[in-house]
Amino acid sequence: MVELTPKRIAQFIEPFRVEPGSRVRLPRDFDPAGTREQSKAEAKEILAAGVGLLAEYQTRLAAQDNYGVVMVLQAMDAAGKDGTISHVMSGVNPQGVQVSSFKVPSSEDMDHDYLWRYAKKLPERGNIGIFNRSYYEEVLVVRVHPQILAAQKLPPRLKGRDIWKRRFREINDWEHYLTDQGFRFAKMFLNVSKEEQRRRFLSRIDEPEKNWKFSANDSKERAFWDDYQKAFSEVLSNTSTPWAPWYVIPADDKPFARVAAAAVLAHTMIEIDPRFPKVGPEAKAALQAAKVELEGQAPPGAAPDLIEVELAEKAAAKATEKTTGKAAAKSKGRKAKAAKG
Ligand code: AMP
Ligand code: MG
């Protein structure tokens, strides 16, 4: 199996990172099909190892209980948000993850500031919160459809043209504040092409078991494709920050996109580098005292500490495996030499 080092993951996702302060224009700057053959092969390798790595880091995140992770997923329809979420979820303990899907705001939501409903869904420390759509809709769908903004109950004089700049700043500030509180962001834009979206819509129409995924509204939104590309470009240009950078994930190839998304999440966890809490001398002494007590309760004939016996056996088995493995490799080498000579 491939050795998945933090450095390798960082290099793999680097091309997808939006440099803070850079001006992004879609689709010019990020190719939805931008999966070089080489990185495709790499993605396959990373797949299996990546899921295991995520699980390990999640365990540490939960044990340390200081940091939380917010995974933000934004995309056009049919870009593969749901599939990406189930893929990432396949590698983690469901107890430590909450998925929140944000739809059209309720009237209770509208009675509050626009970040209110998202703040309520932030993960606890030690957990991962996945946002299937997010507060970024407030500068995407709301921007593309001015009637949505018109219906928001904001004081009218605060709905001027400078509202988007202000919202970008508010979002950056909010993410900065949360970062300072120990919450880290993994923000991903699944970048699907217009033609691939057309293909996926058609498959939702033509394949009966996918019909449920298609809504007539989806093709209506498709008519606003260019407006969305522009709005996304603005979002990426204005809200990729050193504390919460965006990643633009090529999404025309579904398996690749899933691996890349998992890699971005893994990278975020690696940067946190959560550690198991250290057991202090007092706690160690308490463990020893409990051990002695449990050993005293062994029934007649049983080993006082059967786990200690098991661990010793395992260690011994591992040691022999290592030496016989080496011997086997040596004899293989010798045979190969003999065959050559
Ligand atoms: P889906 O995720 O496909 O089930 O669709 C959810 C719908 O809710 C999409 O059409 C979004 O554009 C819409 N939506 C999500 N957040 C907001 C928001 N803050 N304001 C208005 N519409 C939203
Ligand atoms: Mg939809």
Side-chain angles (χ1 to χ4, degrees):
M1 191 151 83
V2 55
E3 170 92 67
L4 205 55
T5 60
K7 195 173 160 203
R8 186 125 185 255
I9 292 180
Q11 281 171 347
F12 176 67
I13 65 170
E14 182 56 31
F16 314 138
R17 188 166 177 274
V18 177
E19 190 53 35
S22 65
R23 291 226 59 86
V24 175
R25 220 177 78 202
L26 295 173
R28 181 195 67 183
D29 294 333
F30 289 94
D31 182 2
T35 53
R36 291 167 291 120
E37 274 314 304
Q38 183 199 352
S39 50
K40 232 182 201 176
E42 201 176 7
K44 257 194 201 147
E45 274 186 275
I46 288 178
L47 176 68
V51 164
L53 189 122
L54 260 186
E56 187 204 315
Y57 274 86
Q58 186 200 19
T59 307
R60 288 205 243 153
L61 190 80
Q64 190 185 41
D65 208 15
N66 292 145
Y67 291 91
V69 174
V70 188
M71 173 171 163
V72 172
L73 267 177
Q74 287 293 158
M76 297 297 287
D77 286 313
K81 287 199 291 349
D82 295 330
T84 300
I85 291 169
S86 37
H87 172 71
V88 167
M89 290 295 288
S90 77
V92 294
N93 179 349
Q95 288 211 73
V97 186
Q98 298 98 37
V99 182
S100 308
S101 299
F102 295 99
K103 315 266 174 191
V104 177
S106 69
S107 65
E108 194 192 8
D109 295 333
M110 305 269 269
D111 271 336
H112 292 84
D113 64 281
Y114 72 92
L115 290 175
W116 179 77
R117 66 172 183 149
Y118 308 98
K120 283 200 301 181
K121 298 290 185 182
L122 287 171
E124 295 174 12
R125 297 188 194 279
N127 284 11
I128 300 169
I130 301 181
F131 280 12
N132 182 358
R133 302 185 190 272
S134 68
Y135 43 94
Y136 282 100
E137 291 294 338
E138 301 288 340
V139 283
L140 289 163
V141 69
V142 179
R143 188 170 192 180
V144 170
H145 298 291
Q147 68 274 23
I148 299 181
L149 179 65
Q152 293 190 348
K153 292 164 89 175
L154 198 64
R157 69 174 187 82
L158 296 176
K159 289 185 183 176
R161 276 163 55 89
D162 57 348
I163 186 169
W164 309 116
K165 267 226 146 66
R166 206 170 66 230
R167 284 196 174 182
F168 291 147
R169 176 176 56 73
E170 288 155 357
I171 287 171
N172 289 341
D173 287 349
W174 194 55
E175 288 176 346
H176 206 171
Y177 158 75
L178 288 167
T179 304
D180 285 345
Q181 287 293 308
F183 296 90
R184 294 297 149 83
F185 290 84
K187 303 193 295 192
M188 305 170 211
F189 168 53
L190 299 187
N191 187 25
V192 77
S193 68
K194 195 174 184 188
E195 177 56 11
E196 178 61 19
Q197 188 197 54
R198 192 176 76 91
R199 208 186 65 77
R200 289 184 193 176
F201 278 174
L202 282 170
S203 92
R204 289 177 178 190
I205 293 164
D206 295 341
E207 297 172 42
E209 68 280 13
K210 287 188 185 168
N211 284 171
W212 64 275
K213 284 190 187 176
F214 190 76
S215 95
N217 193 53
D218 288 349
S219 18
K220 266 197 225 151
E221 281 309 279
R222 182 173 161 81
F224 294 93
W225 182 273
D226 292 342
D227 294 339
Y228 272 108
Q229 293 283 301
K230 231 171 119 182
F232 269 114
S233 303
E234 285 276 307
V235 164
L236 297 169
S237 304
N238 287 283
T239 61
S240 198
T241 55
W243 54 91
W246 272 104
Y247 289 86
V248 179
I249 295 184
D252 277 5
D253 183 279
K254 275 186 192 174
F256 182 88
R258 289 169 190 180
V259 175
V264 171
L265 181 60
H267 177 75
T268 309
M269 309 259 264
I270 288 166
E271 288 210 310
I272 295 173
D273 194 20
R275 302 292 173 101
F276 288 112
K278 273 229 163 67
V279 179
E282 244 170 70
K284 263 192 189 148
L287 288 175
Q288 274 313 311
K291 176 178 158 78
V292 170
E293 203 183 319
L294 286 166
E295 284 174 348
Q297 294 168 18
D305 187 341
L306 58 171
I307 297 299
E308 210 168 63
V309 176
E310 270 176 34
L311 290 175
E313 279 170 2
K314 259 190 206 159
K318 217 173 173 180
T320 29
E321 197 180 289
K322 224 175 170 180
T323 45
T324 50
K326 262 186 195 158
K330 251 189 194 163
S331 101
K332 211 174 156 190
R334 247 185 264 123
K335 271 185 198 154
K337 247 188 191 167
K340 252 191 185 169

